[in-house]
Amino acid sequence: MRPANAVGRIVEVAPKVCQFLTYMENRRAMPPSAGEFIAPMIVVAAAISDSSGRWLLQQRPAGKHHAGLWEFPGGKVDAGELPRPALAREIMEELGVVLDPLAMHPLGFADDPGGNGRTPLLLLLFGATVLEGDPYGHEGQLWGWFTRAEVAEL
């Protein structure tokens, strides 16, 4: 049997979980207010590797959050989009390469609860391979193929 305080915590969290699941099913923003669920911004990223085992990374541009840091490419999921097609769209827009959404496989996720004026964020990371095209920084960003050792040095 669980201690009373754990049961109380489950009862307190359960409505927020239900709100989140409802949001994910409907993909509608719920108006934030004190004590209510604030829908996270859903962001997707692709861990793209080549036949040599190198990873495709791009550098965050100046003026953006985390400017200068290297990241797996990706972007925001628009309202009404599913994560995999959104990721394929973002990679085409940013780097001009085609990914097959059906061949993507989930690798993990990360979240940021937000606060202090920041929107909560949920990042979904997918493994992918380039189906067609050669990367090019369509938004002027630097990009490159990096070995695991090179990634550790960035």
Side-chain angles (χ1 to χ4, degrees):
M1 182 148 183
R2 294 183 182 152
N5 60 350
V7 172
R9 181 72 181 133
I10 291 170
V11 170
E12 177 184 321
V13 171
K16 293 182 190 283
V17 171
C18 290
Q19 286 178 325
F20 175 74
L21 293 175
T22 299
Y23 167 76
M24 292 303 290
E25 289 171 358
N26 297 327
R27 292 297 306 197
R28 286 183 290 186
M30 300 171 93
S33 65
E36 284 191 22
F37 171 76
I38 299 174
M41 177 188 327
I42 310 297
V43 179
V44 288
I48 302 170
S49 61
D50 68 6
S51 59
S52 300
R54 298 176 304 166
W55 298 97
L56 180 63
L57 300 176
Q58 66 182 13
Q59 191 175 39
R60 300 272 307 160
K64 289 202 174 182
H65 189 58
H66 299 300
L69 297 179
W70 289 86
E71 66 180 358
F72 290 120
K76 297 174 187 168
V77 176
D78 291 337
E81 270 187 310
L82 294 172
R84 289 179 174 131
L87 183 53
R89 173 188 54 77
E90 283 285 347
I91 298 301
M92 174 54 83
E93 290 173 2
E94 291 178 4
L95 295 169
V97 295
V98 177
L99 303 180
D100 179 0
L102 297 177
M104 295 175 189
H105 54 280
L107 294 176
F109 74 94
D111 67 340
D112 178 350
N116 296 326
R118 290 187 349 263
T119 301
L121 180 106
L122 176 63
L123 170 73
L124 305 173
L125 179 65
F126 291 91
T129 55
V130 173
L131 187 64
E132 180 181 310
D134 294 314
Y136 175 81
H138 288 265
E139 297 174 349
Q141 75 276 31
L142 296 176
W143 65 272
W145 292 100
F146 299 92
T147 65
R148 185 179 296 247
E150 290 169 332
V151 169
E153 298 296 318
L154 295 176

